[in-house]
Amino acid sequence: MSHFTRSRQLPDRDKATPEDGARGDHVADGAAGDDPDEAVISVGWRDRHPAAARAVAWTGTGLAAALVLFALLLPDELTRLTPGEFVRLPVEGIFGAAVLLVLPPKARQVVAVLAGVGLGVLTLLNVLDMGFYAVLVRPFDPVLDWVLFDDAESFLRDSVGRVDAIGVVIGVVVLVLSLFVLMTLAVVRLSRVMVRHSAVATRTTFVLGTAWIACAALGVQVAGVPVASRSAAERVEDRADRVRASIKDEQVFAKEAAHDAFRDTPADQLLTGLRGKDVLFTFIESYGRSAVQDPRMAAQVDAVLAHGTSRLRKAGFSSRSAFLTSPTAGGGSWLAHSTFMSGLWIPNQQRYRTITSSDRLTLTGAFRRAGAWRTAGIMPGVTRSWPEGKFYGLDNVYDTHHLGYQGPQFSWSRIPDQYSLSAFERLEHGKPDRKPLMSEIILVSSHNPWAPIPKMIGWDELGDGSVYGAIKKAGKDPKEVWKDPAQVRTEYRRAIEYSLNSLISYVEKYGNKNTVLVFLGDHQPVPTVTGDKAGRDVPIAIVAHDPAVMKRISGWGWQDGLKPGPKAPVWRMDTFRDRFLTAYGPQPGATPPSPGR
């Protein structure tokens, strides 16, 4: 009781001097709450340990200042995350301090809270940009990209398991909420400290503002980074421009999509140069230019392509190759698929939704309209309803549930490529007395995270896929692989080799005089494999047994063999549809064959 009485008789706290900032700072921040007993106990502790109290108060203020500076100076790319980025003067912080100093108390409190939330949003968007640059080699689109988090969660669940994926999601949610709370508390605390020490804060703000102007005028830099920073404002302005561009792009794209040179082409004028052929359009996941030209990987992949060219030549096939520039990198395969098939540039989700809900004639759809082919899709990566199959003009789509696979899942890549091709042979290509076949086949074994990787086995050993149980157990754990970028690159290369060998072996074994294969990559792999400046080119090759098929593209200038060299032609991916339909349409002076021919 005596302690309680003494505490109530302490000197008037409202007369605390600036040097006694520990006590005043605590009360101003409302840490003691509304309970008198709680307030007395708290002040008593500070009175008994003034040095420790001052240390705690100044530490809290220092951490708040560091958090705000971190938010204002944080770059939006991992490659720029260097100490030099944080040794700068942010003009936004200087201006914000000046505003808070002149505002009345209530307005200052509101502005401080809003500023804290705004800095939380800015930090979150910068972190998202880092992630998108690291995976998709582009910034996060605040209008269109939210839908991708569902795909990211599915990828995580397939790669590391359901329990670990749930843990990661919960951790991310907690971190985001903590970010907003801590950022808001930090700005509120700094605003109170500045007002309590207004004279010092005013002089400091003036000095920093003068220093910022001088550094900006003189172009002062530290480690190549300008000391006078306005990066936060620039990023806000850049994001606003991106939002406006995304909204405007919808109208621009609608006009582009309305123009289609082949919309009204009669069925008997489509693909006359391929009548009676089995045409296979095959995408190899993440098969990029780096796989065939990066010196850290190219030797082994090029050897597979050279040997494959030789093997196919012995089987009577010839081949030519070049490069296409994909609209995406690191991921977003569906954007590349729709670009290739529609003949339109599809770099974002908005365009994808627009085009797949339209009646645009796709390359695969042209085969269906011609009436001379059965059309089918082999989609081992599709696990849910896929209404886009109608847009692509596919009579039947075999997703992961319809291929008969009873083996283990290889990380995200549920079904090994060799098994997918074997299922295609069993379900479609190997059927007797069938129509000519046009198929879109997606090979997914080279999909990130590239571990564990299947291996080639005898085609007659595949069965229902149960044989892959031991193969998966002998493979590598993706979580261990991703600890070392060099190991990631090695496993990526091995996955590409496996996918290529599966496809080459399939054509060698099951191909015939009517087989025409077009295979390509959908996009480059993530920058962990390629580096930051690898570009977006992917290899493409056409393989055919009939010399007349290859003669149709003799004017394209493509190089012989499955491997395009450094000087091979490079086309934008959206130009391929029209070039292909033109090359294999009626030739000048020729009489097109009937659909049944």
Side-chain angles (χ1 to χ4, degrees):
M1 177 61 71
S2 59
H3 171 69
F4 181 81
T5 304
R6 283 199 306 273
S7 298
R8 285 192 177 277
Q9 295 175 346
L10 287 172
D12 186 0
R13 284 170 288 160
D14 292 332
K15 296 180 181 180
T17 63
E19 288 75 14
D20 197 19
R23 188 185 312 165
D25 186 38
H26 175 79
V27 175
D29 284 349
D34 297 325
D35 187 343
D37 291 340
E38 183 179 338
V40 168
I41 293 171
S42 179
V43 172
W45 178 86
R46 289 172 177 271
D47 188 59
R48 292 195 305 273
H49 306 283
R54 281 194 296 271
V56 170
W58 284 112
T59 299
T61 301
L63 290 175
L67 186 60
V68 170
L69 284 173
F70 176 81
L72 291 172
L73 297 174
L74 180 68
D76 55 1
E77 294 185 57
L78 284 171
T79 54
R80 293 172 49 202
L81 197 61
T82 61
E85 288 285 339
F86 297 96
V87 189
R88 297 189 294 161
L89 297 174
V91 68
E92 303 86 0
I94 298 170
F95 178 78
V99 170
L100 290 173
L101 283 169
V102 300
L103 287 175
K106 289 186 177 180
R108 180 173 61 250
Q109 185 79 2
V110 172
V111 170
V113 170
L114 293 176
V117 173
L119 287 177
V121 172
L122 178 66
T123 304
L124 177 61
L125 291 176
N126 283 340
V127 172
L128 288 173
D129 276 351
M130 286 184 186
F132 270 66
Y133 274 119
V135 176
L136 300 177
V137 203
R138 65 172 177 83
F140 173 75
D141 190 315
V143 175
L144 304 174
D145 284 339
W146 297 105
V147 68
L148 299 183
F149 290 109
D150 181 54
D151 295 310
E153 189 276 334
S154 296
F155 167 74
L156 190 64
R157 185 174 62 248
D158 292 339
S159 299
V160 301
R162 184 171 180 270
V163 175
D164 287 351
I166 292 174
V168 170
V169 171
I170 293 174
V172 169
V173 171
V174 171
L175 283 175
V176 171
L177 293 177
S178 301
L179 169 67
F180 280 94
V181 171
L182 291 174
M183 199 66 73
T184 302
L185 291 176
V187 177
V188 170
R189 181 181 184 87
L190 290 177
S191 69
R192 290 174 175 173
V193 171
M194 286 192 300
V195 170
R196 200 160 47 246
H197 305 283
S198 59
V200 175
T202 300
R203 288 195 298 271
T204 302
T205 301
F206 177 78
V207 170
L208 292 176
T210 303
W212 189 93
I213 294 172
C215 289
L218 298 174
V220 178
Q221 296 186 352
V222 173
V225 180
V227 172
S229 167
R230 59 181 303 269
S231 57
E234 289 172 345
R235 285 195 290 274
V236 170
E237 183 180 356
D238 177 61
R239 289 190 179 94
D241 289 342
R242 274 189 261 155
V243 169
R244 287 192 293 269
S246 295
I247 295 172
K248 183 179 179 181
D249 181 65
E250 187 172 3
Q251 300 174 339
V252 173
F253 183 64
K255 293 180 180 179
E256 292 179 9
H259 176 71
D260 186 351
F262 290 90
R263 178 186 298 276
D264 300 320
T265 303
D268 63 356
Q269 298 293 305
L270 285 169
L271 300 160
T272 56
L274 291 172
R275 298 298 169 104
K277 305 298 183 185
D278 294 322
V279 183
L280 316 180
F281 292 103
T282 303
F283 287 92
I284 297 178
E285 176 68 37
S286 303
Y287 177 38
R289 184 168 190 151
S290 295
V292 299
Q293 291 192 352
D294 188 322
R296 296 170 294 184
M297 301 177 283
Q300 295 91 333
V301 175
D302 289 355
V304 172
L305 292 171
H307 185 49
T309 300
S310 176
R311 289 163 60 188
L312 293 178
R313 186 179 296 119
K314 290 180 181 178
F317 291 91
S318 57
S319 56
R320 289 183 182 173
S321 57
F323 292 105
L324 300 180
T325 301
S326 175
T328 185
S333 304
W334 58 93
L335 303 179
H337 299 173
S338 56
T339 294
F340 181 80
M341 295 299 182
S342 71
L344 292 170
W345 193 247
I346 315 291
N348 58 51
Q349 199 66 17
Q350 178 176 275
R351 287 195 169 204
Y352 179 77
R353 289 196 301 264
T354 299
I355 194 61
T356 53
S357 60
S358 73
D359 61 353
R360 174 84 175 184
L361 179 68
T362 60
L363 184 55
T364 45
F367 284 84
R368 185 177 187 182
R369 182 196 287 183
W373 287 271
R374 170 173 168 78
T375 62
I378 303 296
M379 310 287 173
V382 174
T383 60
R384 294 175 285 188
S385 175
W386 192 58
E388 292 92 330
K390 182 178 179 181
F391 167 72
Y392 288 113
L394 300 174
D395 294 322
N396 198 10
V397 173
Y398 299 92
D399 63 19
T400 189
H401 305 295
H402 297 94
L403 295 174
Y405 183 68
Q406 300 299 316
Q409 179 172 323
F410 282 77
S411 193
W412 185 91
S413 307
R414 294 172 177 265
I415 301 177
D417 290 345
Q418 187 183 7
Y419 183 91
S420 295
L421 292 167
S422 176
F424 169 62
E425 182 66 22
R426 169 171 46 86
L427 296 168
E428 289 286 349
H429 188 260
K431 287 185 175 180
D433 303 323
R434 58 171 174 77
K435 289 177 65 174
L437 187 64
M438 189 291 302
S439 296
E440 181 182 358
I441 303 172
I442 312 298
L443 300 182
V444 298
S445 291
S446 52
H447 191 289
N448 182 334
W450 306 305
I453 303 171
K455 67 177 184 179
M456 292 294 297
I457 58 180
W459 290 94
D460 57 350
E461 299 175 23
L462 293 170
D464 65 358
S466 300
V467 67
Y468 285 106
I471 296 174
K472 179 186 177 180
K473 288 181 180 179
K476 296 184 178 181
D477 184 341
K479 289 179 284 188
E480 293 300 318
V481 168
W482 278 81
K483 292 178 180 179
D484 179 11
Q487 194 173 173
V488 172
R489 191 178 303 112
T490 297
E491 295 309 300
Y492 162 77
R493 170 186 58 78
R494 293 182 60 236
I496 291 295
E497 291 177 49
Y498 169 75
S499 295
L500 289 170
N501 274 319
S502 296
L503 186 58
I504 292 166
S505 178
Y506 173 81
V507 176
E508 188 179 34
K509 181 174 179 61
Y510 296 109
N512 55 52
K513 64 180 182 180
N514 290 321
T515 299
V516 177
L517 169 68
V518 180
F519 76 91
L520 67 154
D522 46 16
H523 54 70
Q524 286 264 54
V526 295
T528 304
V529 174
T530 65
D532 299 319
K533 300 178 180 179
R536 296 189 172 190
D537 294 347
V538 296
I540 181 171
I542 294 182
V543 179
H545 196 285
D546 187 349
V549 172
M550 305 305 288
K551 184 177 180 181
R552 289 265 185 159
I553 63 168
S554 59
W556 286 4
W558 287 22
Q559 297 181 342
D560 289 335
L562 300 178
K563 177 193 174 298
K567 296 183 179 180
V570 181
W571 299 347
R572 275 199 0 169
M573 191 174 279
D574 58 331
T575 66
F576 184 83
R577 186 204 73 154
D578 287 8
R579 291 176 186 261
F580 189 88
L581 291 176
T582 299
Y584 291 104
Q587 299 295 295
T591 302
S594 64
R597 190 166 166 182

